Coordinates of all heavy atoms in Angstrom, one line a residue:
M1352 N 0.8 -1.2 0.0 CA 0.0 0.0 0.0 C 0.9 1.3 0.0 O 0.5 2.2 -0.6 CB -0.9 -0.1 1.2 CG -1.9 1.1 1.3 SD -3.1 0.9 0.0 CE -4.2 2.2 0.4
E1353 N 2.0 1.2 0.8 CA 2.8 2.4 0.8 C 3.5 2.7 -0.5 O 4.0 3.8 -0.7 CB 3.8 2.4 1.9 CG 4.9 1.4 1.8 CD 4.6 0.1 2.6 OE1 3.6 0.1 3.4 OE2 5.4 -0.8 2.5
L1354 N 3.6 1.8 -1.4 CA 4.1 2.0 -2.7 C 3.3 2.9 -3.5 O 3.8 3.6 -4.5 CB 4.4 0.7 -3.5 CG 5.4 -0.2 -2.9 CD1 5.5 -1.5 -3.7 CD2 6.8 0.4 -2.9
L1355 N 2.0 3.0 -3.2 CA 1.1 3.9 -4.0 C 1.2 5.4 -3.4 O 0.7 6.3 -4.1 CB -0.3 3.4 -3.9 CG -0.6 2.1 -4.6 CD1 -2.0 1.7 -4.4 CD2 -0.3 2.2 -6.1
F1356 N 1.7 5.5 -2.2 CA 1.7 6.9 -1.6 C 2.5 7.9 -2.4 O 2.0 9.0 -2.7 CB 2.2 6.9 -0.2 CG 1.2 6.2 0.8 CD1 1.7 5.7 1.9 CD2 -0.1 6.1 0.5 CE1 0.8 5.1 2.8 CE2 -1.0 5.5 1.4 CZ -0.5 5.0 2.6
W1357 N 3.7 7.5 -2.8 CA 4.6 8.5 -3.5 C 4.0 8.8 -4.9 O 4.0 10.0 -5.2 CB 6.0 7.9 -3.6 CG 6.7 7.9 -2.2 CD1 6.9 6.8 -1.5 CD2 7.1 9.0 -1.5 NE1 7.5 7.2 -0.3 CE2 7.7 8.6 -0.3 CE3 7.2 10.4 -1.8 CZ2 8.2 9.4 0.6 CZ3 7.8 11.3 -0.9 CH2 8.3 10.8 0.3
P1358 N 3.6 7.9 -5.7 CA 3.0 8.3 -7.0 C 1.7 9.1 -6.8 O 1.5 10.1 -7.5 CB 2.7 7.0 -7.7 CG 3.6 6.0 -7.1 CD 3.8 6.4 -5.7
F1359 N 0.9 8.7 -5.9 CA -0.3 9.5 -5.6 C 0.0 10.9 -5.2 O -0.7 11.8 -5.6 CB -1.2 8.8 -4.6 CG -2.0 7.6 -5.2 CD1 -1.9 7.2 -6.5 CD2 -2.9 6.9 -4.4 CE1 -2.6 6.2 -7.0 CE2 -3.6 5.9 -4.9 CZ -3.5 5.5 -6.2
M1360 N 1.0 11.1 -4.3 CA 1.3 12.4 -3.8 C 1.8 13.3 -5.0 O 1.3 14.4 -5.1 CB 2.4 12.3 -2.8 CG 2.0 11.9 -1.4 SD 3.2 12.0 -0.2 CE 4.6 11.2 -0.8
I1361 N 2.7 12.7 -5.8 CA 3.2 13.5 -6.9 C 2.2 13.8 -7.9 O 2.1 15.0 -8.4 CB 4.4 12.8 -7.5 CG1 5.6 12.7 -6.5 CG2 4.9 13.4 -8.8 CD1 6.7 11.8 -6.9
I1362 N 1.4 12.9 -8.3 CA 0.3 13.1 -9.2 C -0.7 14.1 -8.7 O -1.2 14.9 -9.5 CB -0.4 11.7 -9.6 CG1 0.6 10.9 -10.4 CG2 -1.7 11.9 -10.4 CD1 0.1 9.4 -10.6
S1363 N -1.0 14.0 -7.4 CA -2.0 15.0 -6.9 C -1.5 16.4 -7.0 O -2.2 17.4 -7.2 CB -2.4 14.6 -5.4 OG -1.4 15.0 -4.5
L1364 N -0.2 16.6 -6.8 CA 0.4 17.9 -6.9 C 0.4 18.4 -8.3 O 0.0 19.6 -8.6 CB 1.9 17.9 -6.4 CG 2.0 17.7 -4.9 CD1 3.5 17.7 -4.5 CD2 1.3 18.7 -4.1
F1365 N 0.7 17.5 -9.3 CA 0.7 17.9 -10.7 C -0.8 18.2 -11.1 O -1.0 19.2 -11.9 CB 1.3 16.9 -11.6 CG 2.8 16.8 -11.5 CD1 3.4 15.6 -11.3 CD2 3.5 18.0 -11.7 CE1 4.8 15.6 -11.3 CE2 4.9 17.9 -11.6 CZ 5.6 16.7 -11.4
I1366 N -1.7 17.4 -10.7 CA -3.1 17.7 -11.1 C -3.6 19.0 -10.4 O -4.4 19.7 -11.1 CB -4.0 16.5 -10.7 CG1 -3.6 15.3 -11.6 CG2 -5.4 16.8 -10.8 CD1 -4.4 14.0 -11.2
A1367 N -3.1 19.3 -9.2 CA -3.5 20.6 -8.6 C -3.0 21.8 -9.4 O -3.7 22.8 -9.6 CB -3.0 20.6 -7.2
I1368 N -1.8 21.7 -9.8 CA -1.2 22.7 -10.7 C -2.0 22.9 -12.0 O -2.3 24.0 -12.4 CB 0.3 22.5 -10.9 CG1 1.1 22.6 -9.6 CG2 0.9 23.4 -12.0 CD1 2.5 22.2 -9.7
L1369 N -2.3 21.7 -12.6 CA -3.0 21.8 -13.8 C -4.4 22.4 -13.7 O -4.9 23.1 -14.5 CB -3.1 20.4 -14.5 CG -1.9 19.8 -15.0 CD1 -2.1 18.4 -15.5 CD2 -1.3 20.7 -16.2
S1370 N -5.0 22.1 -12.5 CA -6.4 22.6 -12.3 C -6.3 24.1 -12.1 O -7.3 24.8 -12.5 CB -7.0 22.0 -11.1 OG -6.3 22.4 -9.9
I1371 N -5.3 24.7 -11.5 CA -5.2 26.1 -11.4 C -4.9 26.7 -12.8 O -5.5 27.8 -13.1 CB -4.1 26.5 -10.4 CG1 -4.4 26.0 -9.0 CG2 -3.8 28.0 -10.4 CD1 -5.6 26.7 -8.4
I1372 N -4.0 26.1 -13.5 CA -3.7 26.7 -14.9 C -4.9 26.7 -15.8 O -5.2 27.7 -16.4 CB -2.5 25.8 -15.5 CG1 -1.3 26.1 -14.7 CG2 -2.4 26.2 -17.0 CD1 -0.1 25.2 -15.1
F1373 N -5.6 25.5 -15.8 CA -6.8 25.4 -16.7 C -8.1 25.8 -16.1 O -9.1 25.8 -16.8 CB -6.9 24.0 -17.3 CG -5.7 23.6 -18.1 CD1 -4.9 22.5 -17.8 CD2 -5.4 24.3 -19.3 CE1 -3.9 22.1 -18.6 CE2 -4.3 24.0 -20.1 CZ -3.5 22.9 -19.7
K1374 N -8.1 26.2 -14.8 CA -9.3 26.6 -14.1 C -10.4 25.6 -14.1 O -11.5 25.9 -14.4 CB -9.7 28.0 -14.6 CG -8.7 29.1 -14.4 CD -9.2 30.4 -15.0 CE -8.1 31.5 -14.7 NZ -6.9 31.3 -15.4
K1375 N -10.0 24.4 -13.8 CA -11.0 23.3 -13.8 C -11.0 22.7 -12.3 O -10.1 22.2 -11.8 CB -10.6 22.1 -14.7 CG -10.5 22.5 -16.1 CD -11.9 22.7 -16.7 CE -11.7 22.9 -18.2 NZ -13.0 23.1 -18.8
A1376 N -12.2 22.9 -11.7 CA -12.3 22.5 -10.3 C -12.4 21.0 -10.1 O -12.0 20.5 -9.1 CB -13.5 23.1 -9.7
I1377 N -12.8 20.3 -11.1 CA -12.9 18.8 -11.0 C -11.5 18.2 -10.8 O -11.4 17.2 -10.1 CB -13.6 18.2 -12.3 CG1 -13.9 16.8 -12.1 CG2 -12.8 18.4 -13.5 CD1 -15.0 16.5 -11.1
F1378 N -10.5 18.8 -11.3 CA -9.1 18.2 -11.1 C -8.7 18.3 -9.6 O -8.0 17.4 -9.1 CB -8.1 18.9 -12.0 CG -8.2 18.7 -13.4 CD1 -7.8 19.6 -14.3 CD2 -8.8 17.5 -13.9 CE1 -8.0 19.4 -15.7 CE2 -8.9 17.3 -15.3 CZ -8.5 18.2 -16.2
L1379 N -9.2 19.3 -8.9 CA -8.9 19.4 -7.5 C -9.6 18.4 -6.7 O -9.1 17.9 -5.7 CB -9.2 20.8 -7.0 CG -8.2 21.9 -7.4 CD1 -8.6 23.3 -7.1 CD2 -6.8 21.6 -6.7
F1380 N -10.8 18.0 -7.1 CA -11.5 16.9 -6.4 C -10.8 15.6 -6.7 O -10.7 14.8 -5.8 CB -13.0 16.8 -6.9 CG -13.9 17.9 -6.4 CD1 -14.4 18.9 -7.3 CD2 -14.2 18.0 -5.1 CE1 -15.2 19.9 -6.8 CE2 -15.0 19.0 -4.6 CZ -15.5 19.9 -5.4
I1381 N -10.3 15.4 -7.9 CA -9.5 14.2 -8.1 C -8.2 14.2 -7.3 O -7.8 13.2 -6.7 CB -9.1 14.1 -9.6 CG1 -10.4 13.9 -10.4 CG2 -8.1 13.0 -9.9 CD1 -10.2 14.1 -11.9
S1382 N -7.6 15.4 -7.1 CA -6.4 15.5 -6.3 C -6.7 15.1 -4.8 O -5.9 14.5 -4.1 CB -5.8 16.9 -6.3 OG -5.2 17.1 -7.6
S1383 N -7.9 15.6 -4.4 CA -8.3 15.3 -3.0 C -8.5 13.8 -2.8 O -8.1 13.2 -1.7 CB -9.5 16.0 -2.6 OG -10.6 15.5 -3.2
I1384 N -9.0 13.1 -3.8 CA -9.1 11.6 -3.7 C -7.8 10.9 -3.7 O -7.6 10.0 -3.0 CB -10.0 11.1 -4.8 CG1 -11.5 11.6 -4.6 CG2 -10.0 9.6 -4.9 CD1 -12.4 11.4 -5.8
L1385 N -6.8 11.5 -4.5 CA -5.5 10.8 -4.6 C -4.7 11.0 -3.3 O -3.9 10.2 -2.9 CB -4.7 11.4 -5.8 CG -5.2 11.0 -7.1 CD1 -4.4 11.7 -8.2 CD2 -5.1 9.5 -7.3
I1386 N -4.9 12.1 -2.6 CA -4.1 12.4 -1.4 C -4.8 11.8 -0.1 O -4.2 11.7 1.0 CB -3.8 13.9 -1.2 CG1 -2.5 14.0 -0.4 CG2 -5.0 14.6 -0.6 CD1 -2.0 15.4 -0.4
L1387 N -6.0 11.3 -0.3 CA -6.7 10.7 0.9 C -6.0 9.6 1.6 O -5.9 9.5 2.8 CB -8.1 10.4 0.5 CG -9.1 10.0 1.6 CD1 -9.3 11.1 2.5 CD2 -10.4 9.5 1.0
P1388 N -5.5 8.6 0.8 CA -4.8 7.4 1.5 C -3.6 7.9 2.3 O -3.4 7.4 3.4 CB -4.4 6.5 0.4 CG -5.2 6.9 -0.8 CD -5.6 8.3 -0.6
L1389 N -2.9 8.9 1.8 CA -1.7 9.4 2.6 C -2.2 10.1 3.9 O -1.6 9.9 4.9 CB -0.9 10.4 1.7 CG 0.2 11.1 2.5 CD1 1.4 10.2 2.7 CD2 0.5 12.4 1.8
S1390 N -3.2 10.9 3.8 CA -3.6 11.6 5.0 C -4.2 10.7 6.0 O -4.0 10.9 7.2 CB -4.6 12.7 4.6 OG -5.8 12.1 4.1
I1391 N -4.9 9.6 5.6 CA -5.4 8.6 6.5 C -4.3 7.9 7.2 O -4.3 7.6 8.4 CB -6.4 7.7 5.8 CG1 -7.7 8.5 5.4 CG2 -6.8 6.5 6.7 CD1 -8.6 7.7 4.6
Y1392 N -3.3 7.5 6.4 CA -2.2 6.7 6.9 C -1.4 7.6 7.9 O -1.0 7.1 9.0 CB -1.3 6.3 5.8 CG 0.0 5.5 6.2 CD1 -0.1 4.2 6.6 CD2 1.2 6.1 6.2 CE1 1.0 3.5 7.0 CE2 2.3 5.4 6.5 CZ 2.2 4.1 6.9 OH 3.3 3.4 7.3
L1393 N -1.1 8.8 7.6 CA -0.3 9.7 8.5 C -1.1 10.2 9.7 O -0.5 10.5 10.7 CB 0.3 10.8 7.7 CG 1.4 10.5 6.7 CD1 1.9 11.7 6.0 CD2 2.6 9.8 7.5
S1394 N -2.4 10.2 9.5 CA -3.2 10.7 10.7 C -3.2 9.6 11.8 O -3.6 9.9 12.9 CB -4.6 11.1 10.3 OG -5.3 9.9 9.9
A1395 N -2.8 8.4 11.5 CA -2.8 7.3 12.5 C -1.5 7.4 13.3 O -1.4 6.7 14.3 CB -2.9 6.0 11.8
T1396 N -0.6 8.2 12.9 CA 0.7 8.3 13.7 C 0.5 9.3 14.8 O -0.3 10.3 14.7 CB 1.8 8.8 12.8 OG1 1.5 10.1 12.3 CG2 2.1 7.8 11.7
P1397 N 1.1 9.2 15.9 CA 0.9 10.1 17.1 C 1.5 11.5 16.8 O 1.0 12.5 17.4 CB 1.7 9.4 18.2 CG 2.4 8.3 17.7 CD 2.0 8.0 16.3
R1398 N 2.4 11.7 15.9 CA 3.0 13.0 15.6 C 2.0 13.9 15.0 O 1.9 15.1 15.3 CB 4.2 12.9 14.7 CG 4.7 14.2 14.3 CD 6.0 14.1 13.6 NE 7.0 14.0 14.7 CZ 8.3 14.2 14.5 NH1 8.7 14.4 13.3 NH2 9.1 14.2 15.5
F1399 N 1.2 13.4 14.0 CA 0.3 14.2 13.3 C -1.1 14.2 13.8 O -1.8 15.2 13.8 CB 0.2 13.8 11.8 CG 1.5 13.9 11.1 CD1 2.2 12.8 10.7 CD2 2.1 15.1 10.8 CE1 3.5 12.9 10.1 CE2 3.3 15.3 10.2 CZ 4.0 14.1 9.8
G1400 N -1.6 13.1 14.3 CA -2.9 13.0 14.9 C -4.0 13.2 13.8 O -3.8 12.8 12.6
I1401 N -5.0 13.8 14.2 CA -6.2 14.0 13.2 C -6.0 15.2 12.3 O -6.7 15.4 11.4 CB -7.4 14.1 14.1 CG1 -8.4 13.0 13.7 CG2 -8.1 15.4 14.0 CD1 -9.4 12.7 14.7
L1402 N -4.9 16.0 12.5 CA -4.7 17.2 11.8 C -4.5 16.9 10.3 O -4.9 17.7 9.4 CB -3.4 17.9 12.3 CG -3.1 19.2 11.7 CD1 -4.2 20.2 12.1 CD2 -1.8 19.7 12.2
L1403 N -3.9 15.8 9.9 CA -3.7 15.5 8.5 C -4.9 15.1 7.7 O -4.9 15.0 6.5 CB -2.6 14.5 8.3 CG -1.2 15.0 8.4 CD1 -0.2 13.9 8.1 CD2 -1.0 16.1 7.4
L1404 N -6.0 14.9 8.4 CA -7.2 14.6 7.7 C -7.8 15.9 7.0 O -8.7 15.8 6.2 CB -8.3 14.1 8.6 CG -8.0 12.6 9.1 CD1 -9.1 12.2 10.1 CD2 -7.9 11.7 7.9
L1405 N -7.2 17.0 7.3 CA -7.6 18.3 6.6 C -7.0 18.4 5.2 O -7.4 19.3 4.5 CB -7.2 19.5 7.5 CG -7.8 19.6 8.8 CD1 -7.2 20.8 9.6 CD2 -9.3 19.8 8.6
C1406 N -5.9 17.7 4.9 CA -5.3 17.8 3.6 C -6.2 17.7 2.4 O -6.2 18.5 1.5 CB -4.1 16.9 3.5 SG -2.7 17.4 4.5
P1407 N -7.1 16.6 2.4 CA -8.0 16.6 1.3 C -9.0 17.7 1.3 O -9.5 18.1 0.3 CB -8.7 15.2 1.4 CG -7.8 14.4 2.3 CD -7.1 15.4 3.2
L1408 N -9.4 18.2 2.5 CA -10.3 19.2 2.6 C -9.8 20.6 2.1 O -10.5 21.4 1.6 CB -10.8 19.4 4.1 CG -11.6 18.2 4.6 CD1 -11.9 18.5 6.1 CD2 -12.8 18.0 3.8
F1409 N -8.4 20.7 2.1 CA -7.8 21.9 1.5 C -8.1 21.9 0.0 O -8.3 22.9 -0.6 CB -6.3 22.0 1.8 CG -6.0 22.4 3.2 CD1 -5.0 21.8 4.0 CD2 -6.7 23.5 3.8 CE1 -4.7 22.2 5.2 CE2 -6.4 23.9 5.1 CZ -5.4 23.3 5.8
Y1410 N -7.9 20.7 -0.6 CA -8.2 20.6 -2.0 C -9.6 20.8 -2.4 O -9.9 21.5 -3.4 CB -7.8 19.2 -2.5 CG -6.3 19.0 -2.9 CD1 -5.6 17.9 -2.6 CD2 -5.6 20.1 -3.5 CE1 -4.3 17.7 -2.8 CE2 -4.2 19.9 -3.7 CZ -3.6 18.7 -3.4 OH -2.3 18.5 -3.7
V1411 N -10.5 20.3 -1.5 CA -11.9 20.6 -1.8 C -12.3 22.0 -1.6 O -13.0 22.6 -2.4 CB -12.8 19.7 -0.8 CG1 -14.3 20.1 -0.9 CG2 -12.6 18.2 -1.1
G1412 N -11.7 22.7 -0.6 CA -11.9 24.1 -0.5 C -11.4 24.9 -1.6 O -12.0 25.9 -2.1
A1413 N -10.2 24.5 -2.1 CA -9.6 25.1 -3.3 C -10.5 24.9 -4.5 O -10.6 25.8 -5.4 CB -8.2 24.6 -3.6
A1414 N -11.1 23.7 -4.7 CA -12.0 23.5 -5.8 C -13.2 24.4 -5.7 O -13.7 24.9 -6.8 CB -12.4 22.0 -5.8
I1415 N -13.8 24.5 -4.5 CA -15.0 25.4 -4.4 C -14.6 26.8 -4.7 O -15.4 27.5 -5.4 CB -15.6 25.2 -3.0 CG1 -16.1 23.8 -2.8 CG2 -16.6 26.3 -2.7 CD1 -16.5 23.5 -1.4
S1416 N -13.5 27.3 -4.2 CA -13.1 28.7 -4.5 C -12.7 28.9 -6.0 O -12.9 29.9 -6.5 CB -11.9 29.1 -3.6 OG -10.8 28.3 -3.9
L1417 N -12.2 27.8 -6.6 CA -11.9 27.9 -8.0 C -13.2 28.0 -8.8 O -13.2 28.7 -9.9 CB -11.0 26.8 -8.5 CG -10.4 26.8 -9.9 CD1 -9.4 28.0 -10.0 CD2 -9.7 25.6 -10.2
A1418 N -14.2 27.3 -8.4 CA -15.4 27.3 -9.1 C -16.1 28.7 -9.0 O -16.8 29.1 -9.9 CB -16.4 26.2 -8.6
K1419 N -15.8 29.4 -7.9 CA -16.4 30.7 -7.7 C -15.4 31.8 -8.2 O -15.6 33.0 -8.0 CB -16.6 31.0 -6.2 CG -17.7 30.1 -5.6 CD -18.0 30.5 -4.2 CE -19.1 29.6 -3.7 NZ -19.5 30.0 -2.3
K1420 N -14.4 31.4 -9.0 CA -13.4 32.3 -9.6 C -12.6 33.0 -8.6 O -12.1 34.1 -8.9 CB -14.2 33.3 -10.6 CG -15.1 32.6 -11.6 CD -14.3 31.8 -12.6 CE -15.3 31.4 -13.6 NZ -15.1 30.1 -14.1
W1421 N -12.3 32.5 -7.5 CA -11.4 33.0 -6.5 C -10.1 32.3 -6.6 O -9.8 31.4 -5.8 CB -12.0 32.9 -5.1 CG -13.2 33.7 -4.8 CD1 -13.7 34.7 -5.6 CD2 -14.2 33.4 -3.8 NE1 -14.9 35.1 -5.0 CE2 -15.2 34.4 -4.0 CE3 -14.3 32.5 -2.8 CZ2 -16.3 34.4 -3.1 CZ3 -15.3 32.6 -1.9 CH2 -16.3 33.5 -2.1
I1422 N -9.3 32.7 -7.6 CA -8.1 31.9 -7.9 C -7.0 32.0 -6.9 O -6.4 31.1 -6.5 CB -7.6 32.3 -9.3 CG1 -8.6 32.0 -10.4 CG2 -6.3 31.7 -9.6 CD1 -8.4 32.5 -11.7
R1423 N -6.9 33.2 -6.3 CA -5.8 33.4 -5.3 C -6.1 32.6 -4.0 O -5.2 32.1 -3.4 CB -5.7 34.9 -5.0 CG -5.1 35.7 -6.1 CD -4.9 37.1 -5.7 NE -4.4 37.9 -6.8 CZ -4.4 39.2 -6.8 NH1 -4.8 39.9 -5.8 NH2 -3.9 39.8 -7.9
L1424 N -7.4 32.6 -3.7 CA -7.7 31.7 -2.5 C -7.5 30.3 -2.8 O -7.0 29.5 -1.9 CB -9.2 32.0 -2.1 CG -9.7 31.2 -0.9 CD1 -8.9 31.6 0.4 CD2 -11.2 31.4 -0.7
S1425 N -7.8 29.8 -3.9 CA -7.5 28.4 -4.3 C -6.1 28.1 -4.3 O -5.7 27.0 -3.8 CB -8.2 28.0 -5.6 OG -7.6 28.7 -6.6
I1426 N -5.2 29.0 -4.7 CA -3.8 28.8 -4.7 C -3.3 28.8 -3.2 O -2.5 27.9 -2.8 CB -3.1 29.9 -5.4 CG1 -3.3 29.8 -6.9 CG2 -1.6 29.9 -5.2 CD1 -2.8 30.9 -7.8
L1427 N -3.9 29.6 -2.4 CA -3.5 29.7 -1.0 C -3.9 28.4 -0.3 O -3.2 27.9 0.6 CB -4.2 30.9 -0.3 CG -3.8 31.2 1.1 CD1 -2.3 31.6 1.2 CD2 -4.7 32.3 1.7
L1428 N -5.0 27.8 -0.7 CA -5.5 26.6 0.0 C -4.7 25.3 -0.5 O -4.7 24.3 0.2 CB -7.0 26.4 -0.3 CG -7.9 27.3 0.5 CD1 -9.3 27.1 0.0 CD2 -7.8 27.0 2.0
I1429 N -4.0 25.4 -1.6 CA -3.2 24.3 -2.1 C -1.8 24.3 -1.5 O -1.3 23.2 -1.3 CB -3.1 24.4 -3.7 CG1 -4.5 24.1 -4.3 CG2 -2.1 23.5 -4.2 CD1 -4.5 24.3 -5.8
V1430 N -1.3 25.4 -1.1 CA 0.0 25.6 -0.6 C 0.3 24.6 0.6 O 1.4 24.0 0.6 CB 0.3 27.0 -0.2 CG1 1.6 27.2 0.6 CG2 0.4 27.8 -1.5
P1431 N -0.6 24.4 1.6 CA -0.2 23.5 2.7 C 0.1 22.1 2.2 O 0.9 21.4 2.8 CB -1.5 23.5 3.6 CG -2.1 24.8 3.3 CD -1.9 25.1 1.9
N1432 N -0.6 21.6 1.2 CA -0.3 20.3 0.7 C 1.1 20.2 0.1 O 1.8 19.2 0.2 CB -1.4 19.9 -0.3 CG -2.7 19.6 0.3 OD1 -2.7 19.1 1.4 ND2 -3.7 20.0 -0.3
F1433 N 1.5 21.3 -0.6 CA 2.8 21.3 -1.2 C 3.9 21.3 -0.1 O 4.9 20.7 -0.2 CB 3.0 22.6 -2.1 CG 2.4 22.4 -3.5 CD1 1.1 22.7 -3.8 CD2 3.2 21.9 -4.5 CE1 0.6 22.5 -5.0 CE2 2.8 21.7 -5.8 CZ 1.4 22.0 -6.0
I1434 N 3.6 22.1 1.0 CA 4.5 22.2 2.1 C 4.7 20.8 2.8 O 5.8 20.4 3.1 CB 4.1 23.3 3.1 CG1 4.3 24.6 2.4 CG2 4.9 23.2 4.4 CD1 3.7 25.8 3.2
L1435 N 3.5 20.2 3.0 CA 3.5 18.8 3.6 C 4.3 17.8 2.8 O 5.2 17.1 3.4 CB 2.1 18.4 3.9 CG 2.0 16.9 4.4 CD1 2.5 16.8 5.8 CD2 0.6 16.4 4.2
I1436 N 4.0 17.8 1.6 CA 4.7 16.8 0.7 C 6.2 17.1 0.6 O 7.0 16.2 0.6 CB 4.0 16.6 -0.6 CG1 2.6 16.0 -0.4 CG2 4.8 15.8 -1.6 CD1 1.7 15.9 -1.6
G1437 N 6.5 18.4 0.4 CA 7.9 18.8 0.4 C 8.7 18.4 1.7 O 9.8 17.9 1.6
W1438 N 8.0 18.6 2.8 CA 8.6 18.2 4.1 C 8.8 16.7 4.1 O 9.9 16.2 4.6 CB 7.7 18.7 5.2 CG 8.3 18.4 6.6 CD1 9.3 18.9 7.2 CD2 7.8 17.3 7.4 NE1 9.5 18.3 8.4 CE2 8.6 17.3 8.6 CE3 6.7 16.4 7.3 CZ2 8.3 16.5 9.6 CZ3 6.5 15.6 8.3 CH2 7.3 15.6 9.5
L1439 N 7.8 15.9 3.7 CA 8.0 14.5 3.7 C 9.1 14.0 2.8 O 9.9 13.1 3.2 CB 6.7 13.8 3.3 CG 5.6 13.7 4.3 CD1 4.3 13.2 3.7 CD2 6.0 12.9 5.5
V1440 N 9.2 14.6 1.7 CA 10.3 14.3 0.7 C 11.7 14.6 1.4 O 12.6 13.8 1.3 CB 10.2 15.0 -0.6 CG1 11.4 14.9 -1.5 CG2 9.0 14.4 -1.4
F1441 N 11.8 15.7 2.0 CA 13.0 16.1 2.7 C 13.3 15.1 3.8 O 14.5 14.7 4.0 CB 12.9 17.5 3.3 CG 14.1 18.0 4.1 CD1 15.2 18.3 3.4 CD2 14.0 18.0 5.4 CE1 16.3 18.7 4.2 CE2 15.1 18.4 6.2 CZ 16.3 18.7 5.6
I1442 N 12.4 14.8 4.6 CA 12.6 13.9 5.7 C 13.0 12.5 5.2 O 14.0 11.9 5.8 CB 11.4 13.7 6.6 CG1 11.1 15.0 7.4 CG2 11.5 12.6 7.6 CD1 12.2 15.5 8.3
V1443 N 12.4 12.0 4.2 CA 12.7 10.6 3.7 C 14.1 10.6 3.1 O 14.9 9.7 3.3 CB 11.7 10.2 2.7 CG1 12.1 8.9 2.0 CG2 10.4 9.9 3.5
Y1444 N 14.4 11.6 2.3 CA 15.7 11.6 1.6 C 16.9 12.1 2.5 O 18.0 11.8 2.1 CB 15.7 12.5 0.4 CG 15.0 11.8 -0.8 CD1 13.9 12.4 -1.4 CD2 15.4 10.6 -1.2 CE1 13.2 11.8 -2.4 CE2 14.7 10.0 -2.3 CZ 13.7 10.6 -2.9 OH 13.0 10.0 -3.9
S1445 N 16.6 12.7 3.6 CA 17.7 13.0 4.5 C 18.1 11.9 5.5 O 19.0 12.1 6.3 CB 17.4 14.3 5.3 OG 16.3 14.1 6.2
Q1446 N 17.4 10.8 5.5 CA 17.7 9.7 6.4 C 18.8 8.9 5.9 O 19.1 8.6 4.8 CB 16.5 8.8 6.6 CG 15.4 9.5 7.4 CD 14.2 8.5 7.6 OE1 14.1 7.4 7.0 NE2 13.3 9.0 8.4

């Protein structure tokens, strides 16, 4: 199962960027589905707790704001996912 986390994370980031570029909210819903297994897996750890269950909700909020043509807010809501995945990549590759 963890073999799917890395491809799903990377694909969700690329799809999120494409959704902002092409202004298609449906791509952000797809990204939220792709990042859901990672957020469920990491929310089971004591370090993160239930906080990581918000990651897919950030994508959903960005999709709603993109549908209402609030592009800056949707970019702002996508940024925490980029920070989280960037941090995970840094932690894994620095070991």
Side-chain angles (χ1 to χ4, degrees):
M1352 184 71 173
E1353 68 259 356
L1354 293 176
L1355 294 177
F1356 289 156
W1357 289 103
F1359 280 1
M1360 285 190 305
I1361 294 168
I1362 291 170
S1363 77
L1364 293 180
F1365 284 130
I1366 291 175
I1368 291 171
L1369 289 176
S1370 70
I1371 296 295
I1372 291 172
F1373 295 121
K1374 297 177 180 66
K1375 300 285 185 181
I1377 190 71
F1378 292 151
L1379 284 169
F1380 286 114
I1381 294 169
S1382 291
S1383 70
I1384 292 170
L1385 289 177
I1386 205 166
L1387 188 64
L1389 171 78
S1390 66
I1391 291 172
Y1392 179 76
L1393 288 179
S1394 68
T1396 63
R1398 171 171 278 196
F1399 298 110
I1401 240 161
L1402 185 65
L1403 276 182
L1404 290 177
L1405 295 175
C1406 286
L1408 295 178
F1409 284 136
Y1410 278 141
V1411 171
I1415 293 169
S1416 65
L1417 190 63
K1419 292 184 178 185
K1420 307 294 187 217
W1421 297 338
I1422 297 172
R1423 290 184 183 168
L1424 180 61
S1425 63
I1426 291 172
L1427 187 66
L1428 287 172
I1429 288 173
V1430 168
N1432 290 322
F1433 278 90
I1434 292 171
L1435 172 72
I1436 292 174
W1438 179 75
L1439 282 175
V1440 168
F1441 175 75
I1442 293 297
V1443 168
Y1444 284 124
S1445 67
Q1446 288 182 355

